[in-house]
Amino acid sequence: MTPMISLEDALRIALETVPAPEPADVPLVEAIGLALSRDVLADRDVPAVTDSAVDGVAVRSEEARPGATFAIVETIDAGRLPRREVGPGQASEIMTGAALPEGADAVIPVEETEKLDDGRVRLLAGAEAGRFLRLRGSYQRAGEPVLAAGREIRAAETAVLAAVGAFRVPAFARPVVAVGATGDELVPVEVPPEPGQIRNANGVTLMTRTRQAGAIPWSLGIVADEREAVRAAVREGLDRDVLVLSGGVSMGRKDLVVDALRDEGVEILFHRVAVKPGKPVVFGRRGRTLVLGLPGNPVSVAVTFELFVRPVIRKLTGHARLHRTVVPAVLGTPVPEGSERRTFLPASVRPGPDGFIASLVPYQGSGDPIGMARGDALLVVPEGAAARSTGDRAEVLLLDGALEAIA
Ligand code: AMP
Ligand code: MG
């Protein structure tokens, strides 16, 4: 067995082993959450012509005084080009986004105008040249980058990509992550467990966490605690980009995963990391495929997925930010002293006068997924830390929903 190593060393080894992400063109609406593999350039000026920022009246600014009246020569709807020049004493009705007509150099918003019975329009306010105009190319210029390589594609970026016509987005291929749960005690979630059996919760959470991390889960189902069964699952998983197994990596008689991995030619790069829960986590590779074996307790699965699997998936998808955000917080509950391993305890965060307040949630230990689900963060207890009281400071790793919880 390889010696127990620190979390930092383990992460360094794991992330160094991740192969370069594979650029791929991804349909725009499916690109959410991925990173850009190259700069995206504006294909044209936006606005393509100088247009109006409001619904209003296009005028010659030198004539625009309160009380001045104008003959309307046309109405320009968005998407239509003006057909008439605005001459002296004239104005055109113009809608937001419609092109400014020749002759006009300002727009008076409709709220600052009055329609007269004879069809003319009277201004209630004046205007300087350029008022309420969006100048051609003022948002972006053709050929200039609008989004840089590495940028994460959120909903806001999809709007930019759509505006420049990037219906296929230069991103990275989503890796396929084979997910299997080892254990003779496991039954599928839809099957009522007999005495001694448990439902395969890990298989489900590994699939959902994989999808949330931006990869495509591939289920290997339940894997019996038999060497041949584990080897067969490993063989199938090694055809994917990443193989993640739960259970079977500890010291028990039926903990067969590490031997099965070796039998199938996987090079083990670490086994045992100084974290709690999750110490027996194993990491290896064969060819381009990365392999992670997570200890089977549900909270160990959650913590080791967040600490190891998610950063690996994010690196494989070209992200710059790999890790969950860790923030300082004030303790809302006491925290026990640390051990020789870095400890992660389910916690909840809320806003306080002095930043985040982090409180431990009721939690029975690494076999307690209900306790884990009460929290939206993990309180980080450093190796050898002294016990702390309410009001002391600590660091918390924010999980999904933490920012919503503090809003
Ligand atoms: P192991 O790491 O295989 O020794 O598993 C440790 C414990 O985690 C087992 O005794 C089960 O209680 C639990 N466990 C293992 N696999 C699963 C699973 N797929 N779903 C839920 N709990 C599991
Ligand atoms: Mg087991």
Side-chain angles (χ1 to χ4, degrees):
M1 186 184 294
T2 58
M4 183 162 82
I5 62 173
S6 70
L7 177 57
E8 284 73 20
D9 284 347
L11 284 173
R12 184 178 45 72
I13 292 168
L15 294 172
E16 273 172 14
T17 309
V18 174
E22 277 179 39
D25 285 342
V26 178
L28 176 52
V29 291
E30 285 162 33
I32 188 87
L34 290 170
L36 289 174
S37 55
R38 49 185 167 77
D39 291 352
V40 173
L41 310 182
D43 68 328
R44 62 192 61 207
D45 289 348
V46 171
V49 293
T50 294
D51 68 13
S52 177
V54 293
D55 295 330
V57 176
V59 293
R60 306 163 77 94
S61 61
E62 80 264 14
E63 296 182 327
R65 289 178 304 278
T69 66
F70 297 90
I72 299 289
V73 295
E74 67 171 329
T75 297
I76 312 159
D77 289 320
R80 301 238 172 273
L81 291 177
R83 285 188 302 263
R84 302 280 198 83
E85 186 175 340
V86 173
Q90 296 180 331
S92 289
E93 283 187 320
I94 188 165
M95 303 303 141
T96 306
L100 188 74
E102 288 292 323
D105 63 356
V107 175
I108 312 290
V110 68
E111 305 87 300
E112 297 176 9
T113 68
E114 195 171 50
K115 261 276 181 56
L116 302 178
D117 291 342
D118 61 2
R120 293 172 70 82
V121 67
R122 181 176 17 226
L123 304 190
L124 305 176
E128 309 272 288
R131 189 172 182 230
F132 290 114
L133 299 184
R134 301 186 302 189
L135 298 182
R136 172 177 181 165
S138 59
Y139 287 21
Q140 72 191 32
R141 290 224 168 265
E144 283 185 359
V146 287
L147 296 171
R151 178 80 163 255
E152 180 157 334
I153 302 162
R154 303 164 302 161
E157 280 73 20
T158 63
V160 178
L161 292 162
V164 300
F167 57 92
R168 294 187 68 82
V169 180
F172 295 98
R174 289 184 193 276
V176 177
V177 178
V179 162
T182 71
D184 286 337
E185 72 276 34
L186 302 177
V187 293
V189 174
E190 60 276 17
V191 173
E194 301 286 341
Q197 296 184 321
I198 58 170
R199 295 191 174 98
N200 178 20
N202 291 348
V204 172
T205 191
L206 286 173
M207 303 272 288
T208 54
R209 285 179 192 275
T210 293
R211 183 161 288 153
Q212 271 193 328
I216 299 165
W218 170 275
S219 179
L220 300 171
I222 292 170
V223 183
D225 286 322
E226 280 149 29
R227 189 127 166 183
E228 264 320 303
V230 180
R231 285 186 65 167
V234 168
R235 276 197 299 277
E236 185 179 349
L238 285 171
D239 285 342
R240 315 292 157 192
D241 300 298
V242 182
L243 165 61
V244 180
L245 293 171
S246 94
V249 291
S250 306
M251 303 293 289
R253 198 172 67 82
K254 288 281 194 173
D255 289 335
L256 307 169
V257 165
V258 178
D259 285 344
L261 291 174
R262 286 211 173 88
D263 289 345
E264 294 301 328
V266 174
E267 180 190 0
I268 304 296
L269 297 174
F270 62 76
H271 181 197
R272 301 208 312 148
V273 178
V275 291
K276 187 179 178 175
K279 177 173 81 170
V281 61
V282 56
F283 176 80
R285 74 155 162 230
R286 200 189 74 179
R288 275 182 62 89
T289 302
L290 306 169
V291 181
L292 294 111
L294 315 183
N297 272 311
V299 181
S300 307
V301 164
V303 169
T304 51
F305 190 98
E306 294 299 328
L307 292 180
F308 298 100
V309 185
R310 185 175 179 277
V312 160
I313 290 174
R314 286 183 65 85
K315 182 136 193 227
L316 269 175
T317 42
H319 284 282
R321 292 195 51 226
L322 304 181
H323 300 291
R324 292 287 193 183
T325 303
V326 175
V327 296
V330 175
L331 287 175
T333 55
V335 171
E337 65 180 6
S339 73
E340 78 289 358
R341 289 183 272 150
R342 188 151 334 149
T343 303
F344 295 87
L345 296 172
S348 65
V349 289
R350 61 192 159 87
D354 202 12
F356 295 99
I357 297 176
S359 303
L360 296 183
V361 295
Y363 164 64
Q364 313 285 329
S366 62
D368 178 15
I370 299 171
M372 175 81 194
R374 286 188 186 105
D376 42 39
L378 292 170
L379 196 131
V380 186
V381 185
E383 296 85 328
R388 280 169 288 179
S389 318
T390 302
D392 287 350
R393 302 199 71 88
E395 294 207 305
V396 278
L397 183 152
L398 301 179
L399 299 173
D400 281 335
L403 292 177
E404 288 79 359
I406 61 140

